[in-house]
Amino acid sequence: MPLTRSEATARAAIIDVHSYEVHLDVTAAGETFGSRAVVRFGARPGSSTFLEFEPVVVSSMTLNGSPVPSLSVSGGRLTLADLAEENELVVEATMRYSNDGEGLHRYTDPADGNVYLYQHLFINNGGRVLPCFDQPDLKASWQVSVSAPADWKVATNGELVSSSAGEWRFAATKPISTYLASLFAGPFHAVTDSHDGIPLALYVRAALAEHLDRQAEELFTITKQCLDRYHEMFEIRYPFGHYQQAFAPEFNFGAMEYPGLVVFRDEMIYRSAVTDSQRESRANVIAHEMAHMWFGDLVTMAWWDDLWLNESFAEYLGTRVAGEATRFTGTWTTFAMQRKAWGLRADQHPSTHPVAPVEVRDTEQALLNFDGISYAKGAATLKQLVAFVGDEAFLAGLNEHFTAHAYGNATLADLLGALAKASGRDLSGWAEVWLRRAQVNTLRLELSPARVEQTAPADYPTLRPHKIGIGLYDRGADGTVVRRSLLPVEVEAAAVTAVPALDAEPAADLVVLNDGDLTYAKIRLDDASTAAVSTVLPLISDSLARAVLWAATLDAVVDGERPVAELVTLVLTALPVESEVVIVEDVLRATRSLVDRYSTPETRPAALELVAQAADRLLAVSEPGGSRQLAAARGLIGATNQSGRLRGWLDGEGVPDGLAIDADLRWLILYRLVVLDAAGTAEIDEEFARDRSATGAQWAARCRAAVPTPDAKAAAWQAIVSDVSLSNRLVEMTASGFWHPEQLDLLAPYVPRYFAEMPAMMRVRGGMSAERTAGYAYPELAVGAETRRLAAELLSREDLDPILRRVVQDADDDMRRAVEARF
Ligand SMILES: [Zn+2]
């Protein structure tokens, strides 16, 4: 059951947790493991409290030496009464492994039969491993020991003290929150190094050993560069001893910031060719998780309403540090193009919330706030804050904040106090409009006289101050385009801000509003610039400026202000000359999604053909073996109808020079062939026999869900809604392979079935896995009034699961836009 904020506040008022001493026995094969916990805590004498606890069987349970009746465990909680000033709870129990990525997740590798475990207690799954006070402000030291098969290795937050004959003992940690307690175990492969006195290690499944060995140098280099940069910025050194990074199978997040042992999803150890933007994204995740060592782990939010203190800062600092310290200097281009679009989308949904909500009711609501607002909008807001107070004051404020609250918890008010002191400015007004109010402003440039017009949605009428740049671009005689000047402008929290400096300039061929991407807003250019984008954009050398222009263009199409057909035409002319891989990938992905949802069955084939042509043109001019070539090939494979050509690639015929048709690209091609009904179950089985790996199993599940026959769809649907033996990742891959615009007639029965059957699915799957599955399985391609009617009917149910409510509400809002904009 979710923990409410008021329960957490009441518990923290009477309880002070000192330590967890945990012994896990994972030696037996089967569905369960042994857990022995000693919890030492102070309490208000005579008071009662509870711990989160979800055992299969309790063998013994004592509080201060006296037996605790087994009836005390109920509904996922262990209730204790008549507490002493100092208490020792000792519990021995049998617990259940999970396959949904929460608790202690157990995974069997199809490649070699090896078993791996990882522990993920976030957000309130601590009770699935041991009895604990599972809330962020009850920090304690953790001392872990593990009995495991003798050929395994085990890693946790704490440093290894001893290991022999399958017994592993670890040193006690500094005080950490329960959601940060971590463990990775199995016969994994390790690579070690050290830097600046900090021991470093990388862990991965044995089946990926050769790939980790090849990528370890890049991973260690980025790790060291980021550590150095954080040590330049922060006065407190990395506080958790060693810095281990494990790559775990079927991990729900991209990664998680456990102190001393960061865990990443192991798709980040590449086994096939990837683009440089994927490598950049991995570097960004490394830097992001490292930022959490200070923001989140050293100083932790008191409750989940300050989740943004964790994620907005990690997203901002991760993007900044990866860009400043590693070879990936274009991280802010990626941010402008990709991450902000995620934030803008979430911020305009019915479920929008402030970056820093005044109150998050319970852990369930907190989980839903792990969205584009808490990450991307929050980070964009911090970028604006830096523009507002200056970098020196910003960093001084952060350092003050860390020093004041190290190993403890803090709130928004604490942080604002530190920043106000460092900058000498009162930030309460700024924080009120930027952090406490939801939704986004639109900034529109108008000329003669030059002015920025600011609007806000009717339900969220807040206007905000924006510090921005306005760039003026001229076409040169030699065909190039140069930025003549970049005007700093302070847009007032008003409907109109005059920009006399722009009037003083001679007319430009293109004026870029929010050039440099300093603020968070929807951007609309003046009419002349809008008309010039298609010819001028490809000639601008600054990738960040191009990203701002692409993002504004895509956003206008999403809003139905401009037709998809116009976007497709722009893609056809501008994409083949685009040099920034992340822009290529994102434009192709976003355009594809808009074509699928915003065009009709009549207009879609022609639009899709143009997208395929754009990718094909780019492919023809891309350097062999480069990232752009791979991005273009993937875009082409996803959009083309030329099944003969794709089949040829699988057989090694007509393959573009330098393009490796490796394991993952083979699957991508096969997936498209299946969608086009040009390959079926036999080919999928054959490919899986050839690639019997973890990724192969996931691709096979996705391909099987895509087979356009009634039987295949029925089997896939059954797996999605009710097969609980399927792991989080396999069910998500199945759901993500289910819907295709080419198969809408066949899939028509599943539109009403989604709304009828998802509530039951939510009851049988874990929180995050259920949310993802409900999202992937949504009939977003069945755009029309009937789907919207079914959504409204489901939303009118009072007993609807809140997670499903949010998924359906937001997806239906996306469909509302698509219905209005359809051509
Ligand atoms: Zn994070």
Side-chain angles (χ1 to χ4, degrees), residues 204 211-212 215 219 247 266-271 282:
V204 77
H211 304 296
L212 177 63
Q215 292 160 52
L219 293 167
F247 294 82
D266 67 9
E267 286 90 336
M268 287 194 203
I269 298 301
Y270 312 126
R271 59 174 204 146
R282 181 170 71 178

Side-chain angles (χ1 to χ4, degrees), residues 349-516:
H349 275 151
S351 67
T352 186
H353 56 86
V355 171
V358 174
E359 181 173 324
V360 170
R361 186 182 61 245
D362 58 27
T363 46
E364 206 162 54
Q365 197 190 359
L367 185 65
L368 290 168
N369 282 358
F370 276 77
D371 59 11
I373 295 170
S374 297
Y375 285 76
K377 181 186 179 182
T381 303
L382 290 174
K383 200 177 178 194
Q384 177 65 194
L385 175 64
V386 174
F388 191 65
V389 299
D391 199 41
E392 207 176 315
F394 178 72
L395 290 179
L398 295 197
N399 277 311
E400 166 124 8
H401 183 70
F402 296 145
T403 305
H405 305 285
Y407 303 109
N409 297 82
T411 63
L412 167 62
D414 296 323
L415 180 75
L416 287 179
L419 288 169
K421 191 172 155 197
S423 65
R425 301 170 86 136
D426 176 7
L427 294 174
S428 53
W430 183 90
E432 174 61 29
V433 293
W434 277 104
L435 301 176
R436 289 293 197 203
R437 308 254 180 103
Q439 265 278 7
V440 58
N441 299 125
T442 300
L443 300 183
R444 187 182 303 274
L445 187 67
E446 296 289 351
L447 299 176
S448 14
R451 60 202 187 275
V452 176
E453 294 183 356
Q454 180 173 189
T455 54
D459 296 347
Y460 298 89
T462 302
L463 299 179
R464 298 173 178 85
H466 299 261
K467 272 202 134 174
I468 61 165
I470 294 181
L472 283 76
Y473 291 78
D474 296 326
R475 224 188 296 248
D478 57 352
T480 60
V481 167
V482 289
R483 183 197 281 130
R484 181 208 314 161
S485 55
L486 180 61
L487 307 175
V489 175
E490 299 206 6
V491 176
E492 295 155 30
V496 180
T497 301
V499 191
L502 186 53
D503 286 322
E505 292 272 346
D509 287 318
L510 179 75
V511 183
V512 179
L513 183 64
N514 197 30
D515 203 1

